[in-house]
Amino acid sequence: MGLFILERIIVDIIQECALAFEKLLIYEYHFVIGRKGQLKEFYLRFDKSDFHHILGLHKLRDIAQIQQGKRDKIFDKLIDGSISLKLIQKSTFYEQMKDRIFPLIGLEKMLDDNKLIFRYNEKIQKFSLIKADYLLEGEANEISTFLFLGKRNDDEKEQMCRTFFPAADKDYTIGQPQYTLLKKEKRNIQTGEIIIQYDRMISKPNN
């Protein structure tokens, strides 16, 4: 018998973004960073509801289907295609979030490759409303992009994606303390498999 593989038919680029983010839900990243002899570590974890803000859907204030209801349920509608690019483009605020769409497809690769981590001090960016603990800079779908992380609850070690957008005229890294990445692991929370993506902490044998 022949082997038949059923693949999901992608409706549009918005659904493609959601499907790309869905792949991250089974993973967590463990970061160990250092600066001036001080070590910090945190875990980046993902939830369906996080997607709403990093794509910029909160900006579409004139689309009831996106602003009403639980964000994880809205994510499910993006996955099955019942909320589509065609609907999103009807918003008068579409221009404020459209630049995030294409880079967001490459978020996982950006995280896999990332080695630039800044401690984010919002007081340095006086004209920004962004609340975050860390700022990651890298390329997402070959576009220079900023990813801001913040704690999900009271535990600073559990971080979530706060916001995400391409680097444009403003460099948010200016004045922010840069940390040295010492170790980064990607763990599949379903299987327990750990991929060590970077490790400067491995002790070297004496010659």
Side-chain angles (χ1 to χ4, degrees), residues 93-193:
F93 305 104
Y94 173 68
E95 293 292 320
Q96 297 181 18
M97 56 77 67
K98 71 174 186 178
D99 290 342
R100 306 182 186 204
I101 298 172
F102 185 70
L104 192 47
I105 297 172
L107 176 59
E108 182 175 4
K109 189 174 188 306
M110 175 187 172
L111 287 168
D112 288 346
D113 295 342
N114 179 267
K115 293 182 178 66
L116 284 177
I117 302 174
F118 299 84
R119 181 72 173 177
Y120 188 70
N121 182 353
E122 59 202 50
K123 294 179 180 179
I124 293 174
Q125 302 292 344
K126 296 180 180 179
F127 302 102
S128 173
L129 298 177
I130 297 172
K131 304 289 185 182
D133 297 316
Y134 297 100
L135 167 59
L136 277 59
E137 181 185 23
E139 285 199 350
N141 246 355
E142 300 183 353
I143 296 173
S144 181
T145 305
F146 296 130
L147 173 64
F148 294 82
L149 309 180
K151 50 184 173 287
R152 187 179 298 282
N153 300 302
D154 292 332
D155 185 0
E156 190 173 321
K157 284 191 176 182
E158 182 177 355
Q159 296 283 309
M160 61 179 283
C161 296
R162 284 290 184 192
T163 191
F164 169 94
F165 49 82
D169 299 331
K170 188 173 183 179
D171 187 350
Y172 283 82
T173 68
I174 293 176
Q176 305 292 352
Q178 182 175 341
Y179 277 78
T180 299
L181 178 62
L182 301 175
K183 188 173 184 178
K184 178 155 66 78
E185 297 175 334
K186 183 179 185 180
R187 184 174 79 92
N188 186 314
I189 58 179
Q190 293 182 345
T191 66
E193 179 188 8

Side-chain angles (χ1 to χ4, degrees), residues 7-17 19-20 79 81:
E7 294 184 353
R8 192 193 301 266
I9 298 174
I10 297 176
V11 175
D12 59 34
I13 194 171
I14 290 294
Q15 188 186 41
E16 189 176 356
C17 278
L19 288 169
I79 288 290

Side-chain angles (χ1 to χ4, degrees), residues 39-60:
L39 295 184
K40 289 182 176 290
E41 66 175 328
F42 63 88
Y43 295 83
L44 175 59
R45 297 177 177 132
F46 307 91
D47 186 84
K48 288 180 181 182
S49 60
D50 302 343
F51 185 77
H52 198 93
H53 200 91
I54 63 173
L55 182 58
L57 295 176
H58 61 290
K59 295 179 179 291
L60 309 181

Side-chain angles (χ1 to χ4, degrees), residues 199-207:
D199 194 348
R200 289 185 57 179
M201 302 178 72
I202 298 176
S203 59
K204 297 180 180 179
N206 296 325
N207 293 328

Side-chain angles (χ1 to χ4, degrees), residues 11-12 14-15 77-78 81-89:
V11 175
D12 59 34
I14 290 294
Q15 188 186 41
K77 291 180 179 180
L78 292 164
S82 56
I83 293 179
S84 66
L85 178 64
K86 186 176 180 180
L87 172 64
I88 287 171
Q89 286 177 322

